[in-house]
Amino acid sequence: MSVICVDKLTRDYGGGKGVFDLSFRVEEGEVFGFLGPNGAGKTTTIRHLMGFIRPKSGSCTIGGVDCFAGRSEIQRNLGYIPGEISFFDDMTGTEFLAFLAGYRKLGKDHRAGEMLERFELDPKGKIRKMSKGMKQKLGIVAAFMHDPQILILDEPTSGLDPLMQSRFVELVEQEKRRGKTLLLSSHMFEEVERTCDRVGIIRQGKLVDVDSVEALRARHVRTYRVTLDSEQTAQAFARDFGGTCDGRTVTLRARQRLEDIFMHYYGGDGK
Amino acid sequence: MINATLYRREMKGSVKLLLILAAVITLYVSVIIGMYEPEMMATLDSFYAVMPELMASVGMRAGATSLIGFMISYLYGFILLIFPMLFCILRGNGLIAKYVDNGSMATLVAAPVRRSTIAFTQMSVLLSGIVLLVAYSTALELALAMTGFPGELAAGELLTLNAGLLCLHLFIGGICFLSSCLFSETRTSLAFGAGIPALMYVLQMLANAAEDAKAARYFSLFTLFDANGLVAGESRALLGMFALLLGAVALYAAAIAIFSKKDLHL
């Protein structure tokens, strides 16, 4: 069953900005990656899904409910990380989480404590004084604390260090195993590759391709096998170039940058 | 209809401003009521003789003989208009437009809380502040008049007068709140939310100061608050008060409806 349905969604901001005739579906229990460069229309699509703005034409539904008309109903079971975190600056992180628990009427039964531990976040300080990464962690905690069935995450790892990015990937995997449906936007292929089942590639407001991660990987990631003179050299080589070492043989994967993938779709018109 | 957690947070956000304004009002009201003396009246009347336009523009007239007439002349032309109005402007903008502008509104709308509930809660915070300020002014005036000049002030007259003042400020708050719901940028919200009441106050000042500018009063909502008429129990003044109240209800209803339907580019 499709949880998130976007059907011929169009919103023209003028000057080529916006989304045009966008259609895709996210199935229940699936992690869907929404991949595209800055300004491609990822956030615009998410604004529609969140019920912040009304579609000019086309429709989008979550669980069969219209995203604009039924937004407060949908929000009961939805977690959201905004692309640009902006919380109440005057509060401390602790106050903010307590505020959210009260505002959403969660009572004491929520996962904020567990999430804080997972991301090693001390929420005692004022949000205004927090670094970008700390605010991002607080955003993750806020999105997951009410244990929602559906998660819409707009560039969720921006500002996180690699260790915390891995923790986040683990969290996504765990939630997926628990049957959650996730839509995750990103402009980094690696991030999407590590977490998603299927990927939709958006460019200039149009969906260019929707495919499984394996298919995309097969198309865009080439693998090389190199045999070296000695095991020691092979190990050093593997370490330096991020490959895996097996005896004297090192396997390397060439990662393509997103621009290169777009080059593929537009035959050199990668602007 | 109202989200208690949000209401508590926003009332906490009003406290500092309310305290500052209450302190300023306390200072002025106690100084002015303390000045009520027959000899002092003569001095003020002599000011009026020297610069009638300036005194009249801020609502001060010569020959205010009763204590309430004196208070109307020296408190209800400037101090009790401007300071609660300042609250309406600052909080009116801060409760909706500021959050939309800086993006933190996303936190409020990304939750199972209706937009109408959010707007209604924020409106309640604004109304609570206005009611608190007017109620405090009333209590202060009563207490000062009763201790300083026992028997000089009819409580009923003061209550009618301040009911009119409350309606005026509810209406001004309505303008600020509508502007806050209508515009997505603090700049525009403030331009209209502060600009319209300020312009109307200036028109009122003009109309008071110069005979030739009397027509200006028809463009100012402050005209609907007729302090002397309310104390005298004139039906025209009471009608003006109810017009302000009805206008306020319409403004808040429009603001909530607009906020519930608008696109939020958060």
Side-chain angles (χ1 to χ4, degrees):
Chain A
M1 194 195 94
S2 298
V3 174
I4 301 175
C5 293
V6 176
D7 190 32
K8 298 193 176 68
L9 184 68
T10 299
R11 176 105 195 183
D12 193 348
Y13 283 126
K17 291 268 172 204
V19 290
F20 307 96
D21 202 30
L22 196 72
S23 300
F24 67 90
R25 276 155 188 266
V26 183
E27 306 301 320
E28 189 169 4
E30 184 182 37
V31 183
F32 186 85
F34 205 36
L35 190 63
N38 297 325
K42 301 189 294 287
T43 300
T44 304
T45 311
I46 287 175
R47 279 181 188 146
H48 282 98
L49 289 174
M50 291 299 292
F52 295 169
I53 55 180
R54 197 196 305 259
K56 280 283 182 267
S57 74
S59 69
C60 45
T61 58
I62 290 180
V65 179
D66 181 80
C67 288
F68 194 81
R71 61 200 169 204
S72 57
E73 184 189 331
I74 292 172
Q75 291 295 339
R76 200 168 299 281
N77 237 328
L78 192 141
Y80 168 62
I81 302 179
E84 218 168 287
I85 302 268
S86 173
F87 296 140
F88 298 129
D89 269 357
D90 51 310
M91 284 182 162
T92 67
T94 315
E95 284 168 348
F96 180 69
L97 293 173
F99 168 81
L100 272 187
Y103 184 68
R104 301 191 77 120
K105 299 193 169 66
L106 299 181
K108 293 228 178 305
D109 183 31
H110 59 74
R111 298 172 77 193
E114 177 199 333
M115 288 294 150
L116 289 171
E117 225 165 274
R118 185 189 278 262
F119 288 98
E120 296 173 19
L121 176 65
D122 174 14
K124 283 194 200 72
K126 285 259 187 231
I127 295 179
R128 187 179 311 145
K129 301 258 168 74
M130 286 186 181
S131 67
K132 171 87 182 82
M134 281 176 82
K135 281 188 199 165
Q136 194 66 33
K137 288 177 181 178
L138 193 62
I140 296 172
V141 176
F144 284 85
M145 68 186 278
H146 53 290
D147 202 14
Q149 218 32 54
I150 302 158
L151 288 136
I152 294 181
L153 314 173
D154 197 356
E155 304 197 357
T157 59
S158 62
L160 295 187
D161 60 47
L163 176 68
M164 288 303 151
Q165 286 187 14
S166 301
R167 293 260 169 97
F168 180 78
V169 170
E170 282 163 25
L171 176 65
V172 169
E173 280 163 357
Q174 181 196 317
E175 293 305 298
K176 193 191 145 187
R177 278 197 299 277
R178 296 177 64 214
K180 304 297 175 68
T181 306
L182 291 95
L183 184 139
L184 187 151
S185 96
S186 178
H187 54 89
M188 291 183 295
F189 187 66
E190 287 86 351
E191 182 177 83
V192 168
E193 192 194 9
R194 282 168 72 189
T195 50
C196 298
D197 305 311
R198 275 194 316 140
V199 178
I201 295 180
I202 185 173
R203 184 173 184 270
Q204 293 182 350
K206 295 189 181 80
L207 207 60
V208 187
D209 196 7
V210 183
D211 218 332
S212 70
V213 168
E214 286 79 33
L216 274 173
R217 192 184 289 138
R219 234 175 297 158
H220 301 291
V221 182
R222 279 187 283 271
T223 308
Y224 300 93
R225 270 228 169 102
V226 186
T227 311
L228 290 111
D229 298 338
S230 71
E231 276 187 35
Q232 271 149 325
T233 336
Q235 271 161 14
F237 184 78
R239 211 168 32 243
D240 289 346
F241 291 92
T244 44
C245 182
D246 179 27
R248 288 198 298 137
T249 309
V250 177
T251 310
L252 288 175
R253 297 171 66 215
R255 287 178 187 275
Q256 272 185 295
R257 289 172 309 147
L258 191 62
E259 301 91 89
D260 298 333
I261 296 174
F262 284 121
M263 295 282 270
H264 166 84
Y265 285 103
Y266 284 86
D269 176 28
K271 66 168 189 260
Chain B
M1 255 333 227
I2 194 162
N3 186 291
T5 309
L6 180 61
Y7 182 81
R8 264 200 306 278
R9 169 192 148 77
E10 296 300 346
M11 284 307 282
K12 257 172 83 183
S14 296
V15 164
K16 208 191 265 173
L17 185 60
L18 281 174
L19 283 178
I20 292 171
L21 292 174
V24 174
I25 288 172
T26 309
L27 182 76
Y28 276 105
V29 170
S30 52
V31 165
I32 296 232
I33 291 184
M35 273 162 62
Y36 178 66
E37 274 173 55
E39 309 93 77
M40 208 45 204
M41 298 299 301
T43 318
L44 281 168
D45 280 356
S46 68
F47 283 166
Y48 184 82
V50 180
M51 36 183 185
E53 288 88 2
L54 185 67
M55 296 289 279
S57 71
V58 288
M60 299 185 183
R61 280 180 210 86
T65 44
S66 64
L67 175 55
I68 196 145
F70 177 82
M71 281 163 61
I72 289 174
S73 291
Y74 300 104
L75 286 174
Y76 288 78
F78 180 71
I79 286 136
L80 291 179
L81 295 187
I82 289 300
F83 292 110
M85 186 167 112
L86 211 58
F87 177 80
C88 293
I89 290 169
L90 293 174
R91 283 310 274 155
N93 174 68
L95 286 166
I96 301 276
K98 192 181 126 201
Y99 290 158
V100 176
D101 196 356
N102 71 16
S104 45
M105 183 55 81
T107 307
L108 299 182
V109 290
V113 178
R114 291 177 175 280
R115 279 206 208 163
S116 53
T117 306
I118 298 172
F120 192 85
T121 307
Q122 301 299 69
M123 176 198 77
S124 307
V125 172
L126 185 64
L127 298 187
S128 305
I130 296 171
V131 169
L132 279 174
L133 273 180
V134 174
Y136 173 73
S137 306
T138 311
L140 180 71
E141 286 170 322
L142 272 176
L144 286 170
M146 278 175 177
T147 49
F149 310 94
E152 285 267 350
L153 187 70
E157 284 178 0
L158 183 76
L159 289 179
T160 319
L161 176 62
N162 282 1
L165 184 73
L166 178 66
C167 291
L168 173 71
H169 286 304
L170 292 179
F171 189 89
I172 296 172
I175 295 176
C176 301
F177 194 67
L178 176 62
S179 170
S180 191
C181 287
L182 200 54
F183 302 107
S184 299
E185 278 180 45
T186 291
R187 220 171 18 156
T188 347
S189 155
L190 272 180
F192 285 87
I196 294 173
L199 182 72
M200 287 185 170
Y201 182 72
V202 170
L203 286 175
Q204 170 84 353
M205 276 174 74
L206 268 176
N208 283 343
E211 272 308 307
D212 323 347
K214 270 275 181 274
R217 68 198 298 274
Y218 297 113
F219 297 97
S220 173
L221 64 99
F222 285 86
T223 311
L224 289 171
F225 172 60
D226 177 3
N228 289 302
L230 281 172
V231 170
E234 287 171 20
S235 55
R236 246 174 66 107
L238 287 169
L239 218 63
M241 179 176 117
F242 283 113
L244 285 171
L245 188 63
L246 274 179
V249 171
L251 286 170
Y252 290 112
I256 292 172
I258 286 169
F259 181 73
S260 302
K261 293 205 175 77
K262 80 188 282 197
D263 281 339
L264 292 170
H265 297 277
L266 296 165

